[in-house]
mmCIF file of all heavy atoms in Angstrom:
data_model
loop_
_atom_site.group_PDB
_atom_site.id
_atom_site.type_symbol
_atom_site.label_atom_id
_atom_site.label_comp_id
_atom_site.label_asym_id
_atom_site.label_seq_id
_atom_site.Cartn_x
_atom_site.Cartn_y
_atom_site.Cartn_z
ATOM 1 N N LEU A 17 77.776 91.437 90.811
ATOM 2 C CA LEU A 17 77.880 90.368 91.799
ATOM 3 C C LEU A 17 76.951 90.637 92.975
ATOM 4 O O LEU A 17 76.291 89.737 93.491
ATOM 5 C CB LEU A 17 79.330 90.264 92.261
ATOM 6 C CG LEU A 17 79.695 89.007 93.006
ATOM 7 C CD1 LEU A 17 79.172 87.783 92.293
ATOM 8 C CD2 LEU A 17 81.203 88.922 93.127
ATOM 9 N N MET A 76 78.921 81.103 86.991
ATOM 10 C CA MET A 76 78.849 81.158 88.442
ATOM 11 C C MET A 76 78.153 79.884 88.905
ATOM 12 O O MET A 76 77.199 79.447 88.273
ATOM 13 C CB MET A 76 77.972 82.318 88.904
ATOM 14 C CG MET A 76 78.362 83.638 88.355
ATOM 15 S SD MET A 76 79.064 84.764 89.541
ATOM 16 C CE MET A 76 78.354 84.369 91.068
ATOM 17 N N MET A 78 76.158 79.306 91.344
ATOM 18 C CA MET A 78 75.109 79.629 92.319
ATOM 19 C C MET A 78 73.840 79.901 91.528
ATOM 20 O O MET A 78 73.915 80.457 90.444
ATOM 21 C CB MET A 78 75.422 80.949 93.033
ATOM 22 C CG MET A 78 76.572 80.962 93.933
ATOM 23 S SD MET A 78 76.849 82.690 94.394
ATOM 24 C CE MET A 78 78.582 82.791 94.087
ATOM 25 N N SER A 92 79.390 76.819 94.376
ATOM 26 C CA SER A 92 80.532 77.592 94.885
ATOM 27 C C SER A 92 80.634 78.821 93.988
ATOM 28 O O SER A 92 79.626 79.258 93.443
ATOM 29 C CB SER A 92 81.804 76.740 94.850
ATOM 30 O OG SER A 92 82.042 76.252 93.533
ATOM 31 N N ALA A 93 81.831 79.374 93.804
ATOM 32 C CA ALA A 93 81.936 80.603 93.010
ATOM 33 C C ALA A 93 81.823 80.334 91.514
ATOM 34 O O ALA A 93 81.197 81.096 90.789
ATOM 35 C CB ALA A 93 83.253 81.304 93.316
ATOM 36 N N GLY A 94 82.445 79.261 91.043
ATOM 37 C CA GLY A 94 82.474 79.042 89.600
ATOM 38 C C GLY A 94 82.540 77.575 89.230
ATOM 39 O O GLY A 94 82.873 76.717 90.061
ATOM 40 N N GLU A 109 85.134 75.634 91.501
ATOM 41 C CA GLU A 109 86.000 76.726 91.962
ATOM 42 C C GLU A 109 85.372 77.454 93.139
ATOM 43 O O GLU A 109 84.231 77.909 93.052
ATOM 44 C CB GLU A 109 86.205 77.734 90.827
ATOM 45 C CG GLU A 109 86.766 77.104 89.565
ATOM 46 C CD GLU A 109 86.719 78.043 88.363
ATOM 47 O OE1 GLU A 109 85.823 78.920 88.327
ATOM 48 O OE2 GLU A 109 87.573 77.907 87.479
ATOM 49 N N SER A 110 86.135 77.578 94.201
ATOM 50 C CA SER A 110 85.601 78.267 95.384
ATOM 51 C C SER A 110 86.533 79.385 95.835
ATOM 52 O O SER A 110 87.747 79.273 95.740
ATOM 53 C CB SER A 110 85.432 77.270 96.532
ATOM 54 O OG SER A 110 85.180 77.957 97.737
ATOM 55 N N ASP A 111 85.975 80.456 96.392
ATOM 56 C CA ASP A 111 86.771 81.424 97.132
ATOM 57 C C ASP A 111 87.163 80.789 98.438
ATOM 58 O O ASP A 111 86.450 79.901 98.935
ATOM 59 C CB ASP A 111 85.934 82.684 97.368
ATOM 60 C CG ASP A 111 85.745 83.465 96.055
ATOM 61 O OD1 ASP A 111 86.754 83.846 95.483
ATOM 62 O OD2 ASP A 111 84.592 83.658 95.642
ATOM 63 N N ALA A 112 88.134 81.275 99.068
ATOM 64 C CA ALA A 112 89.250 82.135 98.716
ATOM 65 C C ALA A 112 90.341 81.890 99.740
ATOM 66 O O ALA A 112 90.375 80.815 100.336
ATOM 67 C CB ALA A 112 88.864 83.595 98.669
ATOM 68 N N THR A 117 84.535 79.228 101.080
ATOM 69 C CA THR A 117 83.271 79.918 101.302
ATOM 70 C C THR A 117 82.086 79.081 100.816
ATOM 71 O O THR A 117 82.243 78.138 100.036
ATOM 72 C CB THR A 117 83.248 81.271 100.566
ATOM 73 O OG1 THR A 117 83.335 81.020 99.161
ATOM 74 C CG2 THR A 117 84.403 82.152 101.008
ATOM 75 N N PRO A 119 78.878 80.545 99.365
ATOM 76 C CA PRO A 119 78.097 81.746 99.057
ATOM 77 C C PRO A 119 76.603 81.452 98.994
ATOM 78 O O PRO A 119 76.196 80.463 98.399
ATOM 79 C CB PRO A 119 78.642 82.175 97.681
ATOM 80 C CG PRO A 119 79.287 80.960 97.105
ATOM 81 C CD PRO A 119 79.749 80.134 98.268
ATOM 82 N N LEU A 167 90.178 79.957 94.792
ATOM 83 C CA LEU A 167 90.440 81.280 94.198
ATOM 84 C C LEU A 167 91.173 82.147 95.224
ATOM 85 O O LEU A 167 90.673 83.168 95.687
ATOM 86 C CB LEU A 167 89.128 81.907 93.746
ATOM 87 C CG LEU A 167 88.268 81.001 92.849
ATOM 88 C CD1 LEU A 167 86.883 81.587 92.637
ATOM 89 C CD2 LEU A 167 88.971 80.748 91.516
ATOM 90 N N ALA A 168 92.368 81.710 95.574
ATOM 91 C CA ALA A 168 93.087 82.297 96.697
ATOM 92 C C ALA A 168 94.307 83.073 96.205
ATOM 93 O O ALA A 168 94.414 83.418 95.030
ATOM 94 C CB ALA A 168 93.501 81.174 97.642
ATOM 95 N N ARG A 181 89.859 96.001 100.186
ATOM 96 C CA ARG A 181 90.298 94.603 100.130
ATOM 97 C C ARG A 181 91.697 94.381 100.664
ATOM 98 O O ARG A 181 92.220 93.263 100.520
ATOM 99 C CB ARG A 181 90.219 94.076 98.695
ATOM 100 C CG ARG A 181 88.820 93.756 98.268
ATOM 101 C CD ARG A 181 88.792 93.041 96.936
ATOM 102 N NE ARG A 181 88.488 91.633 97.097
ATOM 103 C CZ ARG A 181 88.175 90.822 96.091
ATOM 104 N NH1 ARG A 181 88.144 91.275 94.859
ATOM 105 N NH2 ARG A 181 87.907 89.549 96.306
ATOM 106 N N GLU A 184 92.441 91.187 102.371
ATOM 107 C CA GLU A 184 92.642 89.946 101.595
ATOM 108 C C GLU A 184 94.048 89.864 101.014
ATOM 109 O O GLU A 184 94.374 88.886 100.346
ATOM 110 C CB GLU A 184 91.660 89.882 100.427
ATOM 111 C CG GLU A 184 90.254 89.508 100.784
ATOM 112 C CD GLU A 184 89.443 89.238 99.525
ATOM 113 O OE1 GLU A 184 89.730 88.259 98.819
ATOM 114 O OE2 GLU A 184 88.519 90.022 99.247
ATOM 115 N N TYR A 185 94.834 90.904 101.181
ATOM 116 C CA TYR A 185 96.169 90.943 100.594
ATOM 117 C C TYR A 185 97.219 90.894 101.704
ATOM 118 O O TYR A 185 96.899 90.853 102.882
ATOM 119 C CB TYR A 185 96.328 92.205 99.733
ATOM 120 C CG TYR A 185 95.315 92.309 98.608
ATOM 121 C CD1 TYR A 185 94.692 93.531 98.312
ATOM 122 C CD2 TYR A 185 94.962 91.196 97.845
ATOM 123 C CE1 TYR A 185 93.767 93.643 97.281
ATOM 124 C CE2 TYR A 185 94.031 91.297 96.813
ATOM 125 C CZ TYR A 185 93.430 92.524 96.538
ATOM 126 O OH TYR A 185 92.512 92.615 95.516
ATOM 127 N N THR A 212 94.792 79.896 92.708
ATOM 128 C CA THR A 212 95.150 81.037 91.873
ATOM 129 C C THR A 212 96.130 81.918 92.637
ATOM 130 O O THR A 212 96.352 81.755 93.837
ATOM 131 C CB THR A 212 93.919 81.917 91.542
ATOM 132 O OG1 THR A 212 93.343 82.414 92.751
ATOM 133 C CG2 THR A 212 92.872 81.131 90.784
ATOM 134 N N LYS A 214 96.018 86.240 92.668
ATOM 135 C CA LYS A 214 95.097 87.240 92.118
ATOM 136 C C LYS A 214 95.299 88.585 92.796
ATOM 137 O O LYS A 214 95.930 88.622 93.854
ATOM 138 C CB LYS A 214 93.651 86.762 92.268
ATOM 139 C CG LYS A 214 93.111 86.749 93.712
ATOM 140 C CD LYS A 214 91.707 86.158 93.741
ATOM 141 C CE LYS A 214 91.060 86.328 95.108
ATOM 142 N NZ LYS A 214 89.760 85.684 95.222
ATOM 143 N N HIS A 215 94.776 89.683 92.320
ATOM 144 C CA HIS A 215 94.083 89.923 91.062
ATOM 145 C C HIS A 215 95.085 90.656 90.201
ATOM 146 O O HIS A 215 95.491 91.771 90.558
ATOM 147 C CB HIS A 215 92.836 90.782 91.277
ATOM 148 C CG HIS A 215 91.916 90.243 92.355
ATOM 149 N ND1 HIS A 215 92.000 90.579 93.691
ATOM 150 C CD2 HIS A 215 90.885 89.358 92.266
ATOM 151 C CE1 HIS A 215 91.051 89.945 94.381
ATOM 152 N NE2 HIS A 215 90.361 89.209 93.543
ATOM 153 N N ASN A 219 95.419 96.043 90.961
ATOM 154 C CA ASN A 219 94.028 96.215 91.400
ATOM 155 C C ASN A 219 94.077 96.775 92.832
ATOM 156 O O ASN A 219 93.646 96.144 93.776
ATOM 157 C CB ASN A 219 93.353 94.835 91.358
ATOM 158 C CG ASN A 219 91.867 94.854 91.642
ATOM 159 O OD1 ASN A 219 91.239 93.808 91.723
ATOM 160 N ND2 ASN A 219 91.277 96.026 91.812
ATOM 161 N N GLU A 222 89.498 99.633 95.383
ATOM 162 C CA GLU A 222 88.205 98.990 95.135
ATOM 163 C C GLU A 222 87.185 99.959 94.569
ATOM 164 O O GLU A 222 86.328 99.580 93.778
ATOM 165 C CB GLU A 222 87.659 98.377 96.426
ATOM 166 C CG GLU A 222 88.215 97.015 96.742
ATOM 167 C CD GLU A 222 87.886 95.972 95.673
ATOM 168 O OE1 GLU A 222 86.769 95.438 95.653
ATOM 169 O OE2 GLU A 222 88.785 95.707 94.851
ATOM 170 N N ARG A 225 86.082 99.914 90.912
ATOM 171 C CA ARG A 225 87.102 98.927 90.515
ATOM 172 C C ARG A 225 86.973 98.462 89.068
ATOM 173 O O ARG A 225 87.925 97.964 88.487
ATOM 174 C CB ARG A 225 87.075 97.716 91.446
ATOM 175 C CG ARG A 225 85.812 96.882 91.377
ATOM 176 C CD ARG A 225 85.946 95.665 92.274
ATOM 177 N NE ARG A 225 84.728 94.893 92.350
ATOM 178 C CZ ARG A 225 84.621 93.738 92.975
ATOM 179 N NH1 ARG A 225 85.664 93.225 93.589
ATOM 180 N NH2 ARG A 225 83.486 93.087 93.025
ATOM 181 N N MET A 258 94.357 84.850 88.308
ATOM 182 C CA MET A 258 93.108 85.555 88.015
ATOM 183 C C MET A 258 93.432 87.003 87.667
ATOM 184 O O MET A 258 94.040 87.715 88.470
ATOM 185 C CB MET A 258 92.164 85.518 89.223
ATOM 186 C CG MET A 258 90.783 86.105 88.921
ATOM 187 S SD MET A 258 89.788 86.358 90.402
ATOM 188 C CE MET A 258 89.507 84.683 90.945
ATOM 189 N N CYS A 259 93.028 87.405 86.463
ATOM 190 C CA CYS A 259 93.255 88.809 86.096
ATOM 191 C C CYS A 259 92.132 89.669 86.675
ATOM 192 O O CYS A 259 91.073 89.175 87.020
ATOM 193 C CB CYS A 259 93.392 88.962 84.584
ATOM 194 S SG CYS A 259 92.021 88.275 83.658
ATOM 195 N N SER A 260 92.405 90.970 86.749
ATOM 196 C CA SER A 260 91.587 91.845 87.591
ATOM 197 C C SER A 260 90.589 92.689 86.794
ATOM 198 O O SER A 260 90.607 92.709 85.570
ATOM 199 C CB SER A 260 92.505 92.747 88.410
ATOM 200 O OG SER A 260 93.431 93.420 87.571
ATOM 201 N N TYR A 261 89.748 93.401 87.532
ATOM 202 C CA TYR A 261 88.694 94.230 86.937
ATOM 203 C C TYR A 261 89.226 95.500 86.281
ATOM 204 O O TYR A 261 88.684 95.977 85.300
ATOM 205 C CB TYR A 261 87.709 94.674 88.028
ATOM 206 C CG TYR A 261 86.821 93.581 88.552
ATOM 207 C CD1 TYR A 261 86.846 93.223 89.891
ATOM 208 C CD2 TYR A 261 85.927 92.932 87.714
ATOM 209 C CE1 TYR A 261 86.013 92.233 90.385
ATOM 210 C CE2 TYR A 261 85.089 91.938 88.195
ATOM 211 C CZ TYR A 261 85.133 91.593 89.537
ATOM 212 O OH TYR A 261 84.302 90.617 90.008
ATOM 213 N N MET A 291 92.610 82.971 84.309
ATOM 214 C CA MET A 291 91.141 83.053 84.351
ATOM 215 C C MET A 291 90.760 84.496 84.668
ATOM 216 O O MET A 291 91.512 85.224 85.312
ATOM 217 C CB MET A 291 90.561 82.114 85.413
ATOM 218 C CG MET A 291 90.879 82.494 86.840
ATOM 219 S SD MET A 291 89.849 81.633 88.059
ATOM 220 C CE MET A 291 90.564 80.018 88.097
ATOM 221 N N SER A 292 89.584 84.883 84.203
ATOM 222 C CA SER A 292 89.164 86.263 84.470
ATOM 223 C C SER A 292 88.554 86.362 85.856
ATOM 224 O O SER A 292 88.069 85.363 86.404
ATOM 225 C CB SER A 292 88.109 86.686 83.446
ATOM 226 O OG SER A 292 86.902 85.986 83.683
ATOM 227 N N ASP A 293 88.560 87.568 86.416
ATOM 228 C CA ASP A 293 87.694 87.811 87.563
ATOM 229 C C ASP A 293 86.260 87.787 87.043
ATOM 230 O O ASP A 293 86.006 87.877 85.838
ATOM 231 C CB ASP A 293 88.043 89.132 88.260
ATOM 232 C CG ASP A 293 87.539 89.143 89.702
ATOM 233 O OD1 ASP A 293 86.640 88.329 90.036
ATOM 234 O OD2 ASP A 293 88.035 89.961 90.509
ATOM 235 N N TRP A 294 85.336 87.675 87.963
ATOM 236 C CA TRP A 294 83.921 87.454 87.625
ATOM 237 C C TRP A 294 83.301 88.756 87.085
ATOM 238 O O TRP A 294 83.037 89.679 87.838
ATOM 239 C CB TRP A 294 83.180 86.973 88.865
ATOM 240 C CG TRP A 294 83.217 85.494 89.135
ATOM 241 C CD1 TRP A 294 82.128 84.735 89.459
ATOM 242 C CD2 TRP A 294 84.336 84.583 89.120
ATOM 243 N NE1 TRP A 294 82.508 83.412 89.622
ATOM 244 C CE2 TRP A 294 83.845 83.295 89.423
ATOM 245 C CE3 TRP A 294 85.694 84.718 88.853
ATOM 246 C CZ2 TRP A 294 84.659 82.164 89.493
ATOM 247 C CZ3 TRP A 294 86.508 83.608 88.921
ATOM 248 C CH2 TRP A 294 85.993 82.353 89.222
ATOM 249 N N GLY A 295 83.117 88.809 85.801
ATOM 250 C CA GLY A 295 82.564 90.026 85.199
ATOM 251 C C GLY A 295 83.648 90.973 84.713
ATOM 252 O O GLY A 295 83.410 92.164 84.583
ATOM 253 N N SER A 311 85.498 83.481 83.317
ATOM 254 C CA SER A 311 84.820 82.948 84.508
ATOM 255 C C SER A 311 83.552 83.745 84.802
ATOM 256 O O SER A 311 83.427 84.890 84.383
ATOM 257 C CB SER A 311 85.722 83.091 85.740
ATOM 258 O OG SER A 311 87.043 82.779 85.470
ATOM 259 N N GLY A 312 82.676 83.146 85.584
ATOM 260 C CA GLY A 312 81.457 83.845 86.013
ATOM 261 C C GLY A 312 80.791 84.522 84.830
ATOM 262 O O GLY A 312 80.398 85.684 84.881
ATOM 263 N N LEU A 315 78.052 87.264 84.293
ATOM 264 C CA LEU A 315 78.261 88.647 84.708
ATOM 265 C C LEU A 315 78.746 89.532 83.566
ATOM 266 O O LEU A 315 78.721 90.748 83.669
ATOM 267 C CB LEU A 315 79.270 88.713 85.864
ATOM 268 C CG LEU A 315 78.859 87.981 87.141
ATOM 269 C CD1 LEU A 315 79.943 88.101 88.184
ATOM 270 C CD2 LEU A 315 77.559 88.546 87.685
ATOM 271 N N GLY A 417 82.542 90.460 101.597
ATOM 272 C CA GLY A 417 82.705 90.197 100.162
ATOM 273 C C GLY A 417 82.850 88.721 99.863
ATOM 274 O O GLY A 417 82.541 87.856 100.692
ATOM 275 N N SER A 418 83.371 88.429 98.684
ATOM 276 C CA SER A 418 83.392 87.045 98.211
ATOM 277 C C SER A 418 84.279 86.136 99.053
ATOM 278 O O SER A 418 84.096 84.924 99.061
ATOM 279 C CB SER A 418 83.856 86.998 96.751
ATOM 280 O OG SER A 418 85.153 87.536 96.636
ATOM 281 N N SER A 419 85.238 86.695 99.776
ATOM 282 C CA SER A 419 86.168 85.847 100.536
ATOM 283 C C SER A 419 85.631 85.469 101.914
ATOM 284 O O SER A 419 86.269 84.712 102.641
ATOM 285 C CB SER A 419 87.501 86.589 100.741
ATOM 286 O OG SER A 419 87.304 87.682 101.619
ATOM 287 N N PHE A 447 76.128 91.381 100.494
ATOM 288 C CA PHE A 447 77.538 91.253 100.161
ATOM 289 C C PHE A 447 78.411 91.918 101.228
ATOM 290 O O PHE A 447 79.605 91.731 101.243
ATOM 291 C CB PHE A 447 77.763 91.929 98.807
ATOM 292 C CG PHE A 447 78.940 91.413 98.040
ATOM 293 C CD1 PHE A 447 79.193 90.057 97.943
ATOM 294 C CD2 PHE A 447 79.791 92.284 97.395
ATOM 295 C CE1 PHE A 447 80.272 89.586 97.216
ATOM 296 C CE2 PHE A 447 80.870 91.829 96.671
ATOM 297 C CZ PHE A 447 81.106 90.473 96.579
ATOM 298 N N GLU A 501 85.117 93.969 100.134
ATOM 299 C CA GLU A 501 85.147 94.007 98.674
ATOM 300 C C GLU A 501 84.073 94.945 98.128
ATOM 301 O O GLU A 501 82.977 95.023 98.661
ATOM 302 C CB GLU A 501 84.906 92.587 98.145
ATOM 303 C CG GLU A 501 84.932 92.498 96.657
ATOM 304 C CD GLU A 501 84.731 91.076 96.156
ATOM 305 O OE1 GLU A 501 84.904 90.126 96.952
ATOM 306 O OE2 GLU A 501 84.391 90.920 94.977
HETATM 307 C C1 BGC B 19 86.170 88.737 93.276
HETATM 308 C C2 BGC B 19 87.126 87.571 93.173
HETATM 309 C C3 BGC B 19 86.377 86.284 93.439
HETATM 310 C C4 BGC B 19 85.248 86.173 92.455
HETATM 311 C C5 BGC B 19 84.445 84.897 92.584
HETATM 312 C C6 BGC B 19 84.909 88.546 92.456
HETATM 313 O O1 BGC B 19 83.967 89.488 92.820
HETATM 314 O O2 BGC B 19 86.828 89.922 92.880
HETATM 315 O O3 BGC B 19 88.172 87.744 94.087
HETATM 316 O O4 BGC B 19 87.246 85.199 93.381
HETATM 317 O O5 BGC B 19 84.367 87.271 92.634
HETATM 318 O O6 BGC B 19 83.658 84.917 93.705
#
Side-chain angles (χ1 to χ4, degrees):
L17 195 47
M76 306 250 330
M78 292 171 229
S92 56
E109 304 169 332
S110 168
D111 288 301
T117 63
L167 308 170
R181 283 189 106 168
E184 283 190 67
Y185 301 138
T212 60
K214 71 184 189 185
H215 308 90
N219 186 185
E222 277 298 280
R225 66 176 175 174
M258 186 191 293
C259 54
S260 53
Y261 288 120
M291 68 165 76
S292 70
D293 201 341
W294 274 227
S311 319
L315 299 179
S418 60
S419 68
F447 205 44
E501 181 178 342

